[in-house]
Amino acid sequence: MTGYDAVDVIRTKRDGGQLDDGQIDWIIEAYTRRDVPDEQMSALLMAIFLNGLDGDELARWTAAMIGSGVRMDLSSVPFPTVDKHSTGGVGDKITLPLAPLVAACGAAVPQLSGRGLGHTGGTLDKLESIPGWRAAVPYEDYLEQLRTVGAVVCAAGDELAPADKLLYALRDVTGTVESIPLIASSIMSKKIAEGAGALVLDVKVGSGAFMKDVARARTLAETMVGLGAAHGVHTVALLTAMDAPLGRTAGNALEVAEAVEVLAGGGPPDVIELTLALAREMLTAAGLHDVDPAAALADGRAMDRWRAMIAAQGGDPDAELPTAPESETVRAERAGTVTGVDAYAVGVAAWRLGAGRARKEDPVSAVAGVVVHVRPGDRVEAGAPLFDLHTDDAVRIPRAREVIATAVEYDGATQPLPLVIDRIGA
Ligand code: URA
């Protein structure tokens, strides 16, 4: 007998009251044990969605989610540890060059990652397009890879914030995803449990992101930075643009190829700029103030770490990446100056081509995706290529073409967002 009752907890939040520590600890624990059923947790999530959580409630809610599993111990890693988390965007392959780059500069990057859902891709899905590469890494191997290679990107096990796995799945089907306290506690419970000493958040803003406007993105960033600090994890956030896709590709193998281009000293300017901006933040947060990541990218040290990181998880860094059997080029119907390339439309097109999943259990295609030929500011003539659509299955092309047909804005008044919009944190 605990003395707590789910209906009382729901009523408190429904009526705009404050949950006390005991109520929060109990409901998270009992829900994770499956003693509180989904219908009661759904009602509570909706009450939180509508009435919010104040600072004390959110800190306790996040602590209870962390406490639903284990907090990793990285004390045997002889380097400062720092991770990056992106709130998700179209063409966001930055983790791929970033993790080995930061490792090459002397910090260790422990990244327990998830799979993509909806129109944004997941890092594990991208890496799985490399022949042989395995997302599952046993705990001892994970620590060893951090000690030797300095970077691991792998699947989070069931012991990492299990409450979040259950809550996230429930939010997905109850219309309660887009709540700042619920997003902040979901992300930060996993990242704090991961055990890194410092964390850099890339909070995306724009059509292709969760947060469509800068004000909400800033509130989310400030909330997460505060939660990190409360748990002793030095956390900073960059607000970055996701109105247009990042780089020139959206899709799993396509994005890996683009990341390898960046590691080889080429690649699109926006991907290079954001990789270096986040690397500088991560190195500073890890206490490595005098290291220049641009040098490690230029002289091939980051590429060496990439190769070691891929090989350590069974991947062949020299293997040819798979390519799509079917493709079609979408061309400009008129001449004009491109003033916008809608990230959301490109993300949905990649998803319809097979690069993303609608349900957690769905498989994804390694080869499906979109190559983007235009950027805001480009002048195009009628008939110029705008996008290449890649897929395993040609029947997917018409629906992708339909959504991408309106992705390009010509001669409009839209001002693209600056790539790095703001920085939050000390
Ligand atoms: N990513 C997460 O991990 N959780 C959320 O709630 C939203 C995005």
Side-chain angles (χ1 to χ4, degrees):
M1 177 66 201
T2 62
Y4 292 106
D5 173 56
V7 177
D8 283 343
V9 177
I10 295 164
R11 282 200 187 113
T12 303
K13 194 35 70 184
R14 181 198 67 188
D15 296 342
Q18 190 193 41
L19 302 177
D20 66 35
D21 290 354
Q23 286 177 310
I24 292 172
D25 292 351
W26 173 77
I27 196 114
I28 293 282
E29 212 248 324
Y31 180 63
T32 308
R33 267 191 280 115
R34 314 303 279 138
D35 282 352
V36 166
D38 282 348
E39 54 268 31
Q40 287 184 314
M41 190 48 105
S42 302
L44 179 60
L45 290 172
M46 186 55 82
I48 293 174
F49 184 92
L50 296 172
N51 292 326
L53 292 174
D54 71 16
D56 291 339
E57 290 174 304
L58 179 60
R60 192 72 182 200
W61 182 273
T62 308
M65 287 173 70
I66 297 167
S68 71
V70 296
R71 190 164 172 177
M72 304 271 176
D73 176 7
L74 302 181
S75 58
S76 68
V77 178
F79 312 105
T81 53
V82 57
D83 191 16
K84 184 250 355 183
H85 178 81
S86 158
T87 56
V90 177
D92 185 0
K93 69 279 293 172
I94 299 292
T95 289
L96 307 182
L98 181 65
L101 172 60
V102 170
C105 293
V109 183
Q111 184 161 128
L112 298 171
S113 203
R115 289 173 196 283
L117 198 58
H119 72 281
T120 64
T123 301
L124 301 181
D125 298 321
K126 295 172 198 186
L127 286 166
E128 279 176 343
S129 67
I130 300 172
W133 188 87
R134 289 185 305 267
V137 178
Y139 186 53
E140 273 313 314
D141 298 357
Y142 172 76
L143 290 178
E144 185 57 17
Q145 190 173 328
L146 278 178
R147 289 190 286 256
T148 53
V149 178
V152 187
V153 180
C154 68
D158 291 340
E159 65 289 351
L160 198 88
D164 182 61
K165 280 208 176 62
L166 298 169
L167 286 172
Y168 194 77
L170 193 59
R171 286 166 57 209
D172 207 27
V173 294
T174 55
T176 52
V177 169
E178 303 89 344
S179 145
I180 286 178
L182 294 177
I183 296 173
S185 56
S186 165
I187 292 174
M188 292 305 287
S189 62
K190 288 174 287 203
K191 288 288 139 182
I192 293 166
E194 192 181 75
L199 177 64
V200 174
L201 298 164
D202 180 2
V203 178
K204 300 284 186 202
V205 188
S207 77
F210 257 119
M211 298 289 141
K212 309 291 180 203
D213 66 87
V214 175
R216 260 177 79 74
R218 184 174 283 116
T219 305
L220 176 64
E222 287 167 353
T223 306
M224 293 195 289
V225 166
L227 283 174
H231 287 88
V233 179
H234 180 69
T235 305
V236 298
L238 295 184
L239 302 190
T240 74
M242 187 33 69
D243 47 349
L246 201 49
R248 290 191 283 259
T249 57
N252 297 312
L254 291 169
E255 291 191 46
V256 172
E258 188 168 279
V260 171
E261 264 183 67
V262 170
L263 288 160
D270 58 341
V271 179
I272 301 168
E273 182 186 340
L274 188 53
T275 302
L276 288 174
L278 289 165
R280 288 193 185 99
E281 292 292 347
M282 289 171 76
L283 293 167
T284 304
L288 299 168
H289 298 277
D290 300 320
V291 193
D292 177 14
L297 196 57
D299 66 16
R301 277 177 290 150
M303 176 66 103
D304 292 344
R305 289 300 170 119
W306 160 263
R307 294 173 62 81
M309 179 178 105
I310 296 305
Q313 287 168 245
D316 176 358
D318 295 315
E320 293 270 312
L321 291 167
T323 53
E326 306 288 343
S327 68
E328 181 178 298
T329 299
V330 177
R331 295 181 182 278
E333 284 178 359
R334 49 164 284 191
T337 298
V338 174
T339 43
V341 180
D342 180 23
Y344 180 71
V346 173
V348 172
W351 178 34
R352 289 184 180 177
L353 290 164
R357 50 174 72 76
R359 287 169 309 152
K360 272 207 310 288
E361 321 63 62
D362 293 347
V364 294
S365 160
V367 300
V370 178
V371 177
V372 182
H373 292 291
V374 284
R375 304 282 315 155
D378 290 353
R379 168 89 203 158
V380 296
E381 299 305 325
L386 301 176
F387 306 105
D388 296 335
L389 310 180
H390 292 244
T391 183
D392 289 296
D393 185 353
V395 300
R396 291 177 174 269
I397 288 179
R399 284 192 21 89
R401 197 194 305 120
E402 188 185 307
V403 68
I404 218 163
T406 54
V408 175
E409 180 196 76
Y410 300 95
D411 305 321
T414 308
Q415 286 298 321
L417 292 165
L419 184 57
V420 177
I421 300 162
D422 205 352
R423 179 184 185 280
I424 316 287

